[in-house]
Amino acid sequence: DSGVTQTPKHLITATGQRVTLRCSPRSGDLSVYWYQQSLDQGLQFLIQYYNGEERAKGNILERFSAQQFPDLHSELNLSSLELGDSALYFCASSGHLWGGSGYEQFFGPGTRLTVL
Amino acid sequence: AQSVTQPDIHITVSEGASLELRCNYSYGATPYLFWYVQSPGQGLQLLLKYFSGDTLVQGIKGFEAEFKRSQSSFNLRKPSVHWSDAAEYFCAVEGADDKIIFGKGTRLHILP
């Protein structure tokens, strides 16, 4: 158990819909990262938040957004869903500080999103 | 831009045999390097990491990796694999912009 929790575990929805994925980081970790894992794209970094502020952005679509709340949990919002958005979405947390640090990221179990 | 290449998509070894998973990275400076393992239906777990110093890094579950700057490689090894090692293995690099880039992964199959 990494200490990172993600809800829900599975999500099935229809194209055009909007969903919210939730992540609670390990106690004390200020950084939260979101990743998308699909068969064709592999594991892709989406976005990172540090203590409530956006820290780094990866291959995140404009239809997707995220935020980190004062209690440090994070939500990833996916809207206007397409079939190709079906994937496993991971959240990770770390005790990361500003600047490259190589801190270990602890991964949650993921949310499997299926868009029909 | 930094990148990671894992040239082997699938590898099959017999239980008890030695293992080497290849990883090549592209990065201008000395990177932070990681190996993660993902068991079916699970999230990723860190096996080991290289920041600096000794180029041979020991990890959990009997794994080790060697950083070779001249070859831009960070190959993962294990002297004797167990059936429970069957999983997908990801090499990753973190650059100065704090982004971690993962390789496509290598799926390890174990023959009894």
Side-chain angles (χ1 to χ4, degrees), chain B residues 8 15 36 39 41 46-47 51 78 85 87 93 106:
Chain B
D8 304 305
E15 191 168 17
Y36 282 85
S39 297
L46 182 69
L47 286 176
F51 293 166
K78 186 169 185 178
D85 293 325
V93 59
T106 297

Side-chain angles (χ1 to χ4, degrees), chain B residues 6-21:
Chain B
Q6 292 181 247
D8 304 305
I9 299 175
H10 294 272
I11 281 195
T12 301
V13 299
S14 298
E15 191 168 17
S18 63
L19 170 71
E20 183 168 30
L21 302 183

Side-chain angles (χ1 to χ4, degrees), chain B:
Chain B
Q2 65 224 46
S3 65
V4 177
T5 301
Q6 292 181 247
D8 304 305
I9 299 175
H10 294 272
I11 281 195
T12 301
V13 299
S14 298
E15 191 168 17
S18 63
L19 170 71
E20 183 168 30
L21 302 183
R22 295 184 291 164
C23 172
N24 291 98
Y25 69 90
S26 172
Y27 184 64
T30 300
Y32 299 126
L33 295 162
F34 307 82
W35 274 100
Y36 282 85
V37 61
Q38 184 180 25
S39 297
Q42 303 291 318
L44 279 73
Q45 180 185 22
L46 182 69
L47 286 176
L48 47 79
K49 57 192 174 187
Y50 172 78
F51 293 166
S52 63
D54 193 347
T55 56
L56 187 61
V57 180
Q58 301 297 321
I60 62 171
K61 305 185 181 188
F63 285 92
E64 67 177 27
E66 186 170 13
F67 170 60
K68 292 186 178 179
R69 184 190 305 275
S70 61
Q71 299 175 19
S72 297
S73 70
F74 188 57
N75 294 347
L76 181 71
R77 301 193 295 247
K78 186 169 185 178
S80 175
V81 298
H82 185 262
W83 63 266
S84 60
D85 293 325
E88 189 148 23
Y89 292 79
F90 293 90
C91 181
V93 59
E94 179 184 342
D97 59 1
D98 307 330
K99 293 180 188 175
I100 292 189
I101 304 298
F102 285 84
K104 294 284 190 184
T106 297
R107 186 168 292 280
L108 175 63
H109 306 271
I110 308 293
L111 294 175

Side-chain angles (χ1 to χ4, degrees), chain A residues 47-93:
Chain A
I47 197 165
Q48 178 203 356
Y49 277 81
Y50 174 77
N51 201 21
E53 292 187 14
E54 185 182 302
R55 173 74 178 103
K57 223 167 185 175
N59 301 321
I60 188 166
L61 300 171
E62 285 194 11
R63 300 183 285 109
F64 295 0
S65 65
Q67 54 185 325
Q68 186 179 27
F69 294 87
D71 67 352
L72 300 178
H73 91 272
S74 178
E75 292 180 356
L76 179 67
N77 301 296
L78 315 176
S79 61
S80 303
L81 285 168
E82 303 174 359
L83 295 178
D85 297 327
S86 295
L88 197 52
Y89 290 85
F90 286 109
C91 165
S93 76

